[in-house]
Every structure is written in C-alpha cells, then in structure tokens.
Amino acid sequence: MEENMEEGQTQKGCFECCIKCLGGIPYASLIATILLYAGVALFCGCGHEALSGTVTILQSYFEVVRGPLDTLDVFTMIDIFKYVIYGVAAAFFVYGILLMVEGFFTTGAIRDLYGDFKITTCGRCVSAWFIMLTYIFMLAWLGVTAFTSLPVFMYFNIWNMCQNTTAIEGVKMCLDLRQFGVVTISEEKKLCTETEKFLKMCDSNELDLTFHLFVCALAGAGAAVIAMVHYLMVLSANWAYVKDACRMQKYEDIKSKEEQELHDIHSTRSKERLNAYT
C-alpha cells in the first residue's frame, strides 16, 4: 500500500515537473525560429542550386565564356552571390539561437515576476537592441525578396517564350542577354526561337528546374520576412512585459519600504507608551 502511494506521488511529481517545463517554453519565439530556419534553408539551398543551373544554361545554350579572374563578369557575380548565401545561412542560424535564448530568459523573467528574480536594466537594453536589429534584418530581407523576384521574372519570360513557340507555329522571337544586363553591350548573345539551341533549352530539364528553384528561393525569402515580423511582435511584447514588470517591482519595493517604516513608527510609539505607563 505504501509502495503504491510512493509511486503515485512520484508520478505526480514528474507530471508537475513536465508541466512546469512545458510552461516555460517560449512558443511564439519557437514558431518564429522554425519559420526563420525553414525560410533561410529554402532560400539558401534553392538559391545556390538555381545559380548553378544559371551557369549551366549560360554556358551551354548562350555560349557565354567565363572571363579572366580580374574581370567582373556574370560568373564572378554568381560566385559572389554564392558566398553571400553561405554567410547568410551561418549568420541567421546563430541569430535564431540568440533570439530563442532571449525568449527563454524573458519568459523566465515574466514567470518569476513575483519571485526572487530581478529584472535588470541590462536585460531591457538587450531586448531593445534585439528589436532594433530584427527591424533592420526585416528591411534587409524585404530587399532580398525584391531582388530574388528579378530572376523569377526573367525565367518566367523565357518559359513563356518557350510555351508560345510550342503553341504557335511561325512566331519568331529572340532572347537577347543584353536586355537583362548579363553581358555587355558590345557582346551579342542572342538566342532566337527558330534555332536548335533554343528548342533544346526549352526541352531541357535545366530551364524548368532552375525556374522552379528560383520560385522556391523567393518563397523562402518571403518566409524569412514573415519570421522577422513575428520576431518583432514577440520582442516588442516581451519588452513591454519586462518594462511593466520593472515598474511593478519598483512599486512593490516602495510599498514594502513604506510598510516597514510605518511598522517601525508604530513599534516605537508602542514602546514609548509602555515606558510612559511604567
């Protein structure tokens, strides 16, 4: 009988511990972090492969040749974009961890508002700094989203030309890379619909795959923007809660101090009356 009671108390203690641990998880920050990681992974992975597919299309069908190492051509720009993607993936992986840690500490501060936990000025400054930094990153991701829409628009035009050429016979259209700024004005890299290379490009998997990869990269950038907005809402709410908690702590300290002073005055008067009576 006693063993059953001890087992029941142990299970109850484990259940209460689990409930307490689950209650301390910052679910809003967790959702924003998952969305951020998913968006960054989608943007970086699909963007990297889409750039590699673009290099293949330029070299195979448009016959664009890579220039010397000291020249800034389209291939050099693509290599730079790939290195930027590596940096973005590493930076936002670390930033997501930092925001999750900040969410855990802020949640603990709110949970322990009436306990021994004291909210410091440094903690409020860190929260305000994260708000400002997240706002800057949100604007940056908006710019990345707008920039990623450019290759999507370009590939959509090429895909549309392929569809029109297949559907309507006798239509002659040409695709000139100078229109997109891929090559210089002096270079003529034109691909018309009547040529065999254009038909091969339309039938190849590289064009369709690269187009859809850029669309997925655009979706990932949009998801990162939504994650940044979500983080801004979470951080602003946490900062407001922390600020209100700090004011509440100051009020409680002043109130307890006044009560202690009143208690001391009352004790002093009682002692004086007792001495006067004796």
Side-chain angles (χ1 to χ4, degrees):
M1 189 71 179
E2 293 179 357
E3 292 179 357
N4 294 332
M5 292 178 63
E6 291 179 357
E7 290 179 359
Q9 291 178 357
T10 304
Q11 292 177 357
K12 184 178 179 181
C14 293
F15 179 76
E16 292 178 354
C17 182
C18 292
I19 294 298
K20 186 177 180 181
C21 291
L22 291 175
I25 295 175
Y27 291 101
S29 298
L30 182 61
I31 293 173
T33 303
I34 294 173
L35 185 60
L36 176 65
Y37 282 168
V40 172
L42 197 62
F43 171 78
C44 294
C46 294
H48 184 275
E49 293 302 317
L51 291 174
S52 300
T54 301
V55 172
T56 303
I57 292 174
L58 291 176
Q59 291 178 342
S60 301
Y61 303 105
F62 289 93
E63 298 181 353
V64 181
V65 181
R66 184 185 291 268
L69 295 177
D70 55 347
T71 58
L72 185 63
D73 55 359
V74 62
F75 298 107
T76 306
M77 294 297 297
I78 288 175
D79 292 336
I80 293 174
F81 289 149
K82 286 183 178 180
Y83 286 116
V84 170
I85 285 174
Y86 301 149
V88 167
F92 279 92
F93 176 77
V94 175
Y95 191 66
I97 294 176
L98 291 177
L99 289 178
M100 273 299 297
V101 172
E102 195 273 343
F104 272 107
F105 276 107
T106 308
T107 302
I110 297 171
R111 300 284 181 187
D112 301 331
L113 174 60
Y114 298 102
D116 296 328
F117 186 86
K118 297 295 182 181
I119 299 171
T120 62
T121 306
C122 180
R124 284 180 289 158
C125 291
V126 169
S127 297
W129 171 256
F130 273 123
I131 292 173
M132 182 185 68
L133 200 60
T134 305
Y135 183 76
I136 295 174
F137 284 150
M138 184 197 69
L139 296 179
W141 274 110
L142 282 174
V144 170
T145 304
F147 183 76
T148 310
S149 64
L150 296 178
V152 173
F153 176 73
M154 293 168 56
Y155 274 98
F156 176 76
N157 288 333
I158 298 174
W159 179 80
N160 198 18
M161 287 177 61
C162 292
Q163 297 296 320
N164 292 333
T165 303
T166 307
I168 304 174
E169 296 182 357
V171 178
K172 182 179 180 180
M173 294 180 290
C174 292
L175 182 64
D176 196 345
L177 293 181
R178 292 177 294 183
Q179 298 175 344
F180 304 105
V182 177
V183 295
T184 59
I185 301 297
S186 59
E187 299 181 63
E188 185 177 355
K189 299 295 181 181
K190 187 183 295 184
L191 197 61
C192 296
T193 56
E194 296 178 347
T195 59
E196 184 180 356
K197 286 188 176 181
F198 185 84
L199 296 176
K200 286 184 178 180
M201 183 184 68
C202 292
D203 294 335
S204 64
N205 293 326
E206 287 87 358
L207 179 63
D208 189 64
L209 180 61
T210 304
F211 173 55
H212 287 91
L213 284 174
F214 271 120
V215 172
C216 292
L218 179 62
V225 172
I226 297 174
M228 290 292 105
V229 174
H230 197 163
Y231 269 129
L232 276 176
M233 294 188 294
V234 172
L235 291 171
S236 300
N238 289 341
W239 187 79
Y241 289 149
V242 169
K243 186 177 180 181
D244 184 65
C246 184
R247 291 179 178 176
M248 184 65 70
Q249 284 184 356
K250 290 181 179 179
Y251 171 76
E252 293 292 337
D253 293 340
I254 294 173
K255 183 179 178 181
S256 61
K257 186 177 180 181
E258 290 179 351
E259 290 177 352
Q260 185 65 34
E261 290 177 354
L262 291 174
H263 182 268
D264 294 339
I265 293 172
H266 182 71
S267 299
T268 304
R269 288 180 178 178
S270 298
K271 291 180 180 179
E272 290 177 354
R273 291 176 182 176
L274 183 61
N275 293 331
Y277 178 77
T278 54

